[in-house]
């Protein structure tokens, strides 16, 4: 493990998406803090993560468990994987700890029960809501909405790209490093307003999954093969 | 040319995207009508299309040119490739001719000058605007927003998938046939509300094109490789 790698917290990190990202980043040598509403719940996820890494024959696993605000305070970069219903309340809870940091917002504004139907919020996107709520002192970067959690849980490579949106290029670049550490290609996707595209696309992918019986993702084509 | 293939009109079909689709469909043996605000303008595009097919050594090209309303009347299926600024007015002009037919809406609600920024309309998407304006007697299907016109113009294969959104599965299926005729894979993407995703994605792709110097598209991953 390199001392140079940032410490990454995954707030609300006990679900399938959060634990999937944790597996990828821990395996890449990052120090990961799993955050949850209670430290106990986070600790259970951390135990499970250690067991998975043990099964994969990976030692020197650097994972800890904390309550969300403590996790955000201790981390250099925070990712947040909570349901949309808890998006604003979780942000309010941790916002003081995010000042000067990058928040990777993975939230998709799904409106149950019609999760296969695009229903973007009036503000435009969950990413925009986060940036407005947190203010300019926090660099909100939207990413990972179109990755099947199913595939993140696996140990092998992923055939899925990640579109990374945020108002600061330096922050997007840092998140693209984390995308690559997780085994995928990351692309600069423009300002945080553009997270509307990736958030909306998740409902389309849910529809495709139902229609075709799969765990679909997206890939960007035409980037490498031309001048 | 098979008698069974539907006659396809491309309304506002003189731009790069419309002529690109025309090339693909004519080459696949479809009878194509190029529509424009004046028959003269449409005729120029048709002449250019015939010349391109001649260069490619393709004879028995079935293309004609008409004013938009005449084109819509004469066609079995209409595609529309107009700038968003002319979206509603063109629909109003041709709506009487669309009753009982499929309209393939290719419109992206770009708001110049910031075309690389997602700015979806309050109604949700251009596709939804079209469906509301035309009513249930017209089957609006949204498609082709994420295909680089640059690549459509070429004669060879395309590494880009098309997400097809619309409220009627039978209409989406017919459009998927046209996607395949144009050399791409088409996927059922859900209801017309889901066109918000593909329309928003166009601005992201414009950003990626600027950032990486390319003509990007998207591909759906994870569909073929699993149960």
């Amino acid at each position: 493990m390199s001392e140079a790698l940032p410490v990454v917290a995954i707030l609300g990190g006990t679900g399938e998406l959060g634990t999937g990202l944790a597996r990828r980043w821990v395996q890449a040598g990052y120090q990961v803090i799993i955050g949850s509403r209670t430290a106990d719940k986070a600790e259970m996820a951390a135990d499970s993560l250690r067991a998975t890494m043990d099964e994969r024959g990976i030692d020197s696993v650097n994972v800890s468990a904390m309550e969300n605000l403590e996790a955000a305070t201790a981390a250099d970069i925070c990712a947040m994987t909570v349901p949309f219903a808890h998006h604003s309340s979780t942000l309010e809870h941790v916002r003081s700890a995010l000042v000067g940091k990058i928040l990777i917002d993975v939230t998709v504004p799904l409106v149950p029960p019609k999760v296969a139907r695009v229903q973007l919020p009036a503000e435009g996107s969950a990413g925009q809501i986060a940036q407005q709520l947190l203010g300019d002192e926090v660099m909100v970067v939207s990413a990972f909405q179109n990755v099947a959690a199913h595939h993140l849980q696996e140990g092998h490579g992923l055939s899925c790209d990640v579109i990374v949106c945020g108002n600061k290029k330096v922050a997007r670049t840092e998140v693209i490093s984390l995308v690559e550490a997780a085994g995928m290609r990351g692309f600069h996707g423009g300002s945080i307003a553009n997270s509307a595209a990736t958030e909306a696309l998740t409902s389309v992918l849910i529809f495709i999954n139902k229609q075709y019986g799969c765990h679909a993702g997206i890939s960007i084509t035409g980037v490498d093969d031309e001048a």
Side-chain angles (χ1 to χ4, degrees), chain A residues 141-154:
Chain A
V141 176
S142 170
F144 299 111
Q145 285 88 355
N146 305 136
V147 185
H150 172 86
H151 292 309
L152 278 179
Q153 296 282 342
E154 298 163 351

Side-chain angles (χ1 to χ4, degrees), chain A residues 5-69:
Chain A
L5 292 179
V7 176
V8 183
I10 306 175
L11 311 177
T14 62
E16 201 184 17
L17 191 56
T19 57
L21 287 170
R23 284 184 185 194
R24 297 270 165 182
W25 288 331
V26 163
Q27 198 158 335
Y30 281 81
Q31 182 183 341
V32 172
I33 305 169
I34 304 214
S36 188
R37 276 185 281 184
T38 68
D40 282 356
K41 206 173 162 213
E43 192 57 63
M44 283 175 64
D47 283 343
S48 167
L49 179 62
R50 287 183 201 104
T52 301
M53 290 302 121
D54 194 50
E55 280 165 27
R56 291 183 187 172
I58 294 159
D59 49 12
S60 73
V61 168
N62 203 337
V63 60
S64 54
M66 297 180 192
E67 182 277 334
N68 278 327
L69 178 57

Side-chain angles (χ1 to χ4, degrees), chain A residues 36-212:
Chain A
S36 188
R37 276 185 281 184
T38 68
D40 282 356
K41 206 173 162 213
E43 192 57 63
M44 283 175 64
D47 283 343
S48 167
L49 179 62
R50 287 183 201 104
T52 301
M53 290 302 121
D54 194 50
E55 280 165 27
R56 291 183 187 172
I58 294 159
D59 49 12
S60 73
V61 168
N62 203 337
V63 60
S64 54
M66 297 180 192
E67 182 277 334
N68 278 327
L69 178 57
E70 286 174 34
T73 304
D76 299 312
I77 296 184
C78 297
M80 188 171 78
T81 54
V82 297
F84 185 51
H86 301 150
H87 181 248
S88 290
S89 60
T90 307
L91 289 172
E92 293 281 9
H93 178 62
V94 301
R95 65 184 296 177
S96 63
L98 296 178
V99 173
K101 297 178 184 174
I102 292 170
L103 174 77
I104 308 172
D105 195 350
V106 188
T107 306
V108 177
L110 300 177
V111 186
K114 293 196 174 178
V115 294
R117 183 186 175 90
V118 176
Q119 298 177 81
L120 292 171
E123 294 88 344
S125 65
Q128 281 169 288
I129 291 173
Q131 188 65 75
Q132 283 164 20
L133 192 152
L134 296 171
D136 288 342
E137 289 172 310
V138 180
M139 292 174 279
V140 176
V141 176
S142 170
F144 299 111
Q145 285 88 355
N146 305 136
V147 185
H150 172 86
H151 292 309
L152 278 179
Q153 296 282 342
E154 298 163 351
H156 53 73
L158 280 158
S159 63
C160 180
D161 292 334
V162 174
I163 296 169
V164 176
C165 300
N167 294 339
K168 301 276 188 191
K169 185 170 187 178
V170 62
R172 295 197 307 260
T173 301
E174 190 139 351
V175 173
I176 286 172
S177 297
L178 280 163
V179 171
E180 290 167 353
M184 292 166 283
R185 296 193 304 175
F187 289 92
H188 288 275
S191 72
I192 194 67
N194 288 6
S195 67
T198 49
E199 294 176 21
L201 199 54
T202 302
S203 289
V204 172
L205 292 173
I206 291 170
F207 186 91
I208 288 174
N209 289 346
K210 287 181 183 173
Q211 188 78 27
Y212 299 91

